[in-house]
Amino acid sequence: MPTDVIMPSLGFDMTEGLLARWLKNEGDPVVKGQAIAEIETEKATVEIEATVSGLLARIVVQAGETVPVGTLIGVIAEAGVEPTAVSSPAPTAPPSSPPPSPAAPAPPAPVPEAGEGAAPSEARVKASPVARKMAEEAGLDLSRIKGTGPGGRVVERDVQAAIATGSTPAAPGVPAGPAPGATVPLNRMRKTIARRMAESKTTAPHFYVTVEINMDDAMKMREQLNGVAPEGERISVSDMVVAAAARTLVRFPALNASYREDNLEMHPQVNIGIAVALEDGLIPPVLRDADKKPLKRIAAESRALADRARTNKLRSDDLWGGTFTVSNLGMFDVDEFIAIINPPEAAILAVGAVTRRPVAAAGEVRIASLMKTTLSVDHRVADGAQAGRFLQEFKKLLENPVTLLTG
């Protein structure tokens, strides 16, 4: 029985995708889980995998075409079936479009503000002494006020009218701003970041809570683990942060939720988006069920996600389903920062660098490894006390990191 290949949805706000290229030709055998095509979304280039084994019997959407989510793009048939025996599927009807909006009325022709004229030289403007004095005191350009006195003379009532209507045109010759520079069009990812971050800041009321964590024991444990780990299997500070955040979210489910029209959607899974810096911007591939995984596995899967993101090899399930995001700028020697929530999530954790600094403890000053983290929270979802308790538990886990080793 033929199996449809459709344009997947890789996020709540994805409406269409560009089929960048097919990795298989019609008639080629495919294996379940094998990448068969690449699609380009607003966030990244993502591979589509075959959901069954067989052969690619039909290519419905050609490379280079952009189609809505859910559109049939190909058909996989059972092995042994001749491609010509698979009937051509009916083209998927695109989602109905809303009726065209009536043509917008043509913008009205600019109407000079009351009193604006052809801006003759002020020196030649006929005006009464009183009108000149009033215009000067009000900061008005006398040449842009229409006179109603004899012969077009600007009189007192004309200046009074200009003041009353708020007509205060700038003096001619004053530049409105810096000279325009080169215009650089935004790429798809940059446009998406611009749109989503503006949406987040204008719809979700953010508040921020910062905590400083003693990372002495965490750094010692990391050093011991990495001392015996093969190259390529080492633990990073980000891995420990993700593990601690995931375990903390289990105890604070409100921060693992989304605000939906006066309701909270509580997510059953703890899926951590891990911000990865690319040349075009940040992308948060998702580590699923992070609360159930030991530190070593979190490190391995995080490394694989980052590698796929940096090589444009993300899979279709790498980008959707995130419930909380961790963004770490410590590798850039950033001490602390605040992050904008990645909608529709309820919170994001911004992580700074681990630095050696003096601290006062038990009546003495010593040097410790310290790290600042800031939690940004959607105030519609949680309050400051909840955020404070979350960070208190998060800090406790990192200052006693042995529990992170188990799933």
Side-chain angles (χ1 to χ4, degrees):
M1 181 177 179
T3 300
D4 293 343
V5 182
I6 64 171
M7 176 62 71
S9 172
L10 304 179
F12 78 101
D13 60 344
M14 178 176 170
T15 58
E16 63 180 20
L18 167 68
L19 205 156
R21 65 169 177 152
W22 284 98
L23 304 177
K24 296 290 183 181
N25 298 313
E26 282 190 355
D28 283 353
V30 299
V31 177
K32 181 180 180 180
Q34 185 178 30
I36 57 174
E38 290 180 351
I39 60 171
E40 186 178 319
T41 72
E42 293 177 327
K43 300 175 182 176
T45 299
V46 177
E47 292 180 342
I48 296 179
E49 299 175 354
T51 56
V52 296
S53 297
L55 59 86
L56 183 60
R58 282 282 182 273
I59 289 178
V60 180
V61 173
Q62 301 299 320
E65 293 185 44
T66 298
V67 295
V69 168
T71 299
L72 178 68
I73 61 175
V75 178
I76 297 176
E78 295 177 359
V81 175
E82 287 295 328
T84 53
V86 178
S87 59
S88 297
T92 303
S96 58
S97 302
S101 303
V111 178
E113 294 181 353
E116 283 191 343
S121 169
E122 188 170 359
R124 291 178 294 171
V125 174
K126 296 179 180 179
S128 69
V130 174
R132 286 186 185 279
K133 184 173 178 58
M134 289 179 62
E136 181 181 353
E137 290 176 347
L140 297 179
D141 181 358
L142 197 60
S143 67
R144 301 171 69 83
I145 298 176
K146 184 178 181 180
T148 60
R153 182 184 175 94
V154 177
V155 295
E156 181 179 359
R157 62 174 177 271
D158 300 324
V159 179
Q160 289 175 334
I163 294 173
T165 57
S167 175
T168 56
V174 177
T183 298
V184 179
L186 299 181
N187 58 30
R188 290 167 65 90
M189 178 182 290
R190 205 67 253 167
K191 287 179 182 176
T192 301
I193 292 172
R195 175 175 54 78
R196 298 194 68 197
M197 293 302 98
E199 172 194 335
S200 178
K201 285 291 283 185
T202 54
T203 60
H206 288 50
F207 72 89
Y208 313 96
V209 183
T210 300
V211 68
E212 189 170 61
I213 300 169
N214 188 321
M215 294 288 286
D216 276 349
D217 289 343
M219 299 307 282
K220 287 177 186 174
M221 187 183 80
R222 174 174 174 259
E223 183 179 356
Q224 291 172 351
L225 292 172
N226 288 344
V228 297
E231 186 72 24
E233 296 185 11
R234 296 184 173 178
I235 307 295
S236 70
V237 173
S238 288
D239 299 331
M240 292 189 290
V241 168
V242 169
R247 285 153 176 75
T248 308
L249 283 168
V250 174
R251 297 192 56 185
F252 297 89
L255 296 176
N256 194 54
S258 297
Y259 179 86
R260 306 277 194 194
E261 298 179 352
D262 295 334
N263 293 290
L264 285 187
E265 180 181 345
M266 311 301 289
H267 301 299
Q269 293 177 287
V270 176
N271 298 333
I272 305 290
I274 303 171
V276 176
L278 305 179
E279 185 176 348
D280 294 330
L282 283 176
I283 190 169
V286 177
L287 180 68
R288 300 181 183 284
D289 295 318
D291 58 311
K292 298 180 174 64
K293 296 175 178 174
L295 182 59
K296 185 176 180 181
R297 186 172 172 189
I298 286 176
E301 293 190 13
S302 297
R303 191 162 42 248
L305 282 173
D307 288 345
R308 290 202 292 272
R310 294 187 178 110
T311 56
N312 271 340
K313 296 295 183 184
L314 286 171
R315 299 195 288 250
S316 57
D317 60 350
D318 286 339
L319 286 176
W320 66 271
T323 60
F324 184 93
T325 297
V326 171
S327 181
N328 185 358
L329 294 183
M331 67 288 288
F332 302 118
D333 296 329
V334 174
D335 288 335
E336 61 178 310
F337 68 105
I338 59 175
I340 299 175
I341 298 168
N342 183 28
E345 298 169 9
I348 183 172
L349 191 67
V351 182
V354 177
T355 58
R356 299 279 290 168
R357 282 176 280 147
V359 296
E364 62 180 13
V365 176
R366 63 182 182 84
I367 302 299
S369 297
L370 303 176
M371 179 182 75
K372 288 185 177 179
T373 61
T374 297
L375 185 69
S376 305
V377 182
D378 184 342
H379 217 328
R380 298 172 301 180
V381 175
D383 300 320
Q386 291 171 282
R389 286 194 288 269
F390 173 93
L391 285 178
Q392 189 178 43
E393 177 67 18
F394 173 74
K395 174 178 177 173
K396 187 187 301 181
L397 286 174
L398 282 175
E399 292 184 345
N400 300 276
V402 177
T403 55
L404 303 180
L405 297 175
T406 59

